[in-house]
Amino acid sequence: MEFSTDEKRQYQRHFSLPGFGSKGQDLLKRASVLVIGAGGLGCPVLQYLTAAGVGEIGIVDEDIVEFSNLQRQVLYSHEDIGKLKVEVASTKLKQLNPYIKISSFAVRFNASNAKTLLDNFDIVIDGTDNFDSRYLINDACVLFDKVLIYGAINQFNGQVSVFNLQNGPTYRCLFPHPPSGNALPSCSEIGVLGVLPGIIGNFQALEAIKVITGVGEVLNGKVLLYDALNQKSQIVTVNPIQKSREIYQLSDQVTPCPTHSKIKTDPMITEIEPKVFSEMIEKQEDLFVLDVREDWEREVAMIAPSIHIPLGEFSSSSSGPELPSEISRDDNIVIYCKAGVRSRMACEVLQEKGYKKLHNLSGGILKWEADGFPFA
């Protein structure tokens, strides 16, 4: 493609970049990216892809700008409150780069409009903040053969990956089963460090540019885990699961958001602190430890010795999984996950199967680490 004199001035630092140059800029100008969600993740993605010169960018979001958005959604200001995000974003992005096409869609991405929205774009970037949307976007990308750039944030932590690239893993290879409503924190209590979406969103924009131009190594089959509090990052491998590609139609799943995060009391299930759990391990009396996280989470860190049965195996069968035969229904069983929510659900399933001494590690492996106890 030809570049005007003003475009050459705008992209000068790309043209002079070794290994990128005019070829890389040409690939960006020919590319099209659909960004679903113009919130915390979507804002930095949109800003940097626009500045970089991606030829066509689509924005999908039905929400309006609210006061609580401004702490992290830096594309907006106080004068934008009450306006549609896609309209505000489109106006500001065109001011940043008038040489590309910006398309806005003030709708919610759903099963009925997925194909229409995806048809004209090469790459999809997920900037949403709920599981229903993530699974739907993933399934649509698999069904319609689109590359998906994934990002997620929670409090002080974030994740980034590239899915459905060259028959690589999909989101369902990372999280095979959607969580139930009971596994989700309260919508009103979830918080996030304001700068974190900017960091993760920029990672997503970077991966999109790498996919488009072919520079560097893409996070295909890998997940970048980022800890903002300790400035730590780690990359784990995700293996492709063929079954994750068996998507034949889309559906709008709606997981109700809990109105509170209180754990219901049950005399058969005990919430235990890491210190108490550590003391139980030292005694080693009829104690079995069960890890219900995903495979890749266990690769990062685990409490040993422990048995591993992902929560998906609990929820995929009404009868639940069978524990090893050496575990009797009168043995002490301590179950842990990342934060103590999935493990509580596993406790409830095992209670229904007749296990009597169930202990849920309060705060999960996060609190275990925070309290200074070692991993394997």
Side-chain angles (χ1 to χ4, degrees):
M1 284 187 176
E2 293 294 325
F3 293 93
S4 67
T5 300
D6 286 342
E7 284 179 288
K8 290 178 181 178
R9 290 173 179 171
Q10 177 138 347
Y11 308 135
Q12 181 182 352
R13 296 299 186 270
H14 274 176
F15 282 124
S16 61
L17 182 62
F20 195 96
S22 59
K23 180 181 178 181
Q25 195 62 49
D26 181 71
L27 290 169
L28 286 176
K29 190 170 183 177
R30 295 174 184 272
S32 58
V33 176
L34 182 68
V35 181
I36 304 177
L41 293 173
C43 283
V45 167
L46 289 166
Q47 288 169 296
Y48 274 94
L49 292 186
T50 295
V54 171
E56 181 176 1
I57 297 175
I59 315 169
V60 179
D61 199 308
E62 66 172 353
D63 290 338
I64 61 172
V65 180
E66 300 178 2
F67 273 101
S68 61
N69 299 150
L70 303 182
Q71 166 251 15
R72 63 201 177 281
Q73 299 177 22
V74 295
L75 189 55
Y76 313 117
S77 58
H78 278 267
E79 63 184 15
D80 301 320
I81 292 172
K83 300 177 183 178
L84 282 168
K85 289 182 179 180
V86 292
E87 292 182 357
V88 175
S90 179
T91 299
K92 294 186 177 182
L93 295 173
K94 287 175 182 176
Q95 293 171 347
L96 175 61
N97 190 342
Y99 311 115
I100 66 173
K101 179 181 179 182
I102 305 290
S103 303
S104 59
F105 307 94
V107 298
R108 183 177 183 83
F109 187 85
N110 57 46
S112 61
N113 64 23
K115 186 178 188 304
T116 302
L117 290 171
L118 265 59
D119 265 350
N120 296 322
F121 296 92
D122 306 318
I123 294 173
V124 177
I125 297 185
D126 183 357
T128 62
D129 61 358
N130 64 86
F131 286 103
D132 291 340
S133 294
R134 289 173 190 161
Y135 279 95
L136 176 60
I137 293 168
N138 169 81
D139 294 352
C141 287
V142 172
L143 189 60
F144 305 123
D145 195 23
K146 304 292 181 179
V147 176
L148 172 61
I149 313 293
Y150 159 75
I153 53 175
N154 180 49
Q155 297 182 347
F156 303 101
N157 299 282
Q159 302 174 359
V160 184
S161 188
V162 176
F163 294 128
N164 205 38
L165 175 64
Q166 299 171 346
N167 293 316
T170 74
Y171 179 70
R172 288 184 180 270
C173 297
L174 181 65
F175 296 109
H177 306 283
S180 70
N182 291 331
L184 303 177
S186 167
C187 289
S188 62
E189 295 176 7
I190 296 175
V192 63
L193 185 67
V195 72
L196 181 63
I199 296 170
I200 300 302
N202 276 312
F203 279 143
Q204 288 180 279
L206 174 59
E207 289 304 305
I209 290 172
K210 287 158 64 178
V211 170
I212 292 167
T213 63
V215 301
E217 184 178 344
V218 178
L219 286 171
N220 182 23
K222 300 175 182 178
V223 181
L224 171 66
L225 307 176
Y226 178 74
D227 179 346
L229 283 183
N230 300 301
Q231 280 291 27
K232 291 182 180 179
S233 62
Q234 185 171 0
I235 293 180
V236 297
T237 301
V238 179
N239 296 318
I241 301 173
Q242 184 58 37
K243 188 176 180 180
S244 74
R245 294 190 166 278
E246 297 176 0
I247 306 296
Y248 306 107
Q249 64 180 11
L250 301 178
S251 62
D252 292 312
Q253 174 182 322
V254 179
T255 301
C257 180
T259 56
H260 59 81
S261 58
K262 295 180 180 178
I263 297 176
K264 61 184 181 182
T265 58
D266 193 311
M268 303 286 288
I269 301 174
T270 305
E271 292 286 323
I272 60 170
E273 294 295 317
K275 185 177 184 298
V276 176
F277 179 29
S278 178
E279 293 171 351
M280 294 173 70
I281 293 175
E282 290 177 3
K283 293 179 181 179
Q284 293 183 341
E285 297 178 357
D286 298 325
L287 175 65
F288 292 90
V289 182
L290 175 61
D291 179 357
V292 296
R293 299 171 302 154
E294 301 294 337
D295 293 341
W296 64 270
E297 292 178 283
R298 192 169 170 84
E299 290 180 14
V300 176
M302 67 176 181
I303 300 171
S306 58
I307 300 163
H308 181 221
I309 303 177
L311 181 65
E313 296 187 22
F314 285 76
S315 57
S316 62
S317 170
S318 59
S319 60
E322 291 297 329
L323 298 187
S325 58
E326 63 267 25
I327 302 179
S328 79
R329 282 166 170 72
D330 294 316
D331 288 329
N332 281 300
I333 303 173
V334 178
I335 306 179
Y336 75 91
C337 64
K338 180 180 179 180
V341 180
R342 285 175 286 175
S343 52
R344 178 74 191 194
M345 296 174 65
C347 282
E348 292 171 0
V349 173
L350 291 178
Q351 180 190 16
E352 293 177 0
K353 292 173 67 68
Y355 291 90
K356 301 175 182 177
K357 299 179 182 178
L358 298 166
H359 309 273
N360 184 44
L361 181 59
S362 180
I365 204 167
L366 291 178
K367 195 169 192 304
W368 175 265
E369 180 182 24
D371 288 358
F373 293 101
F375 294 127

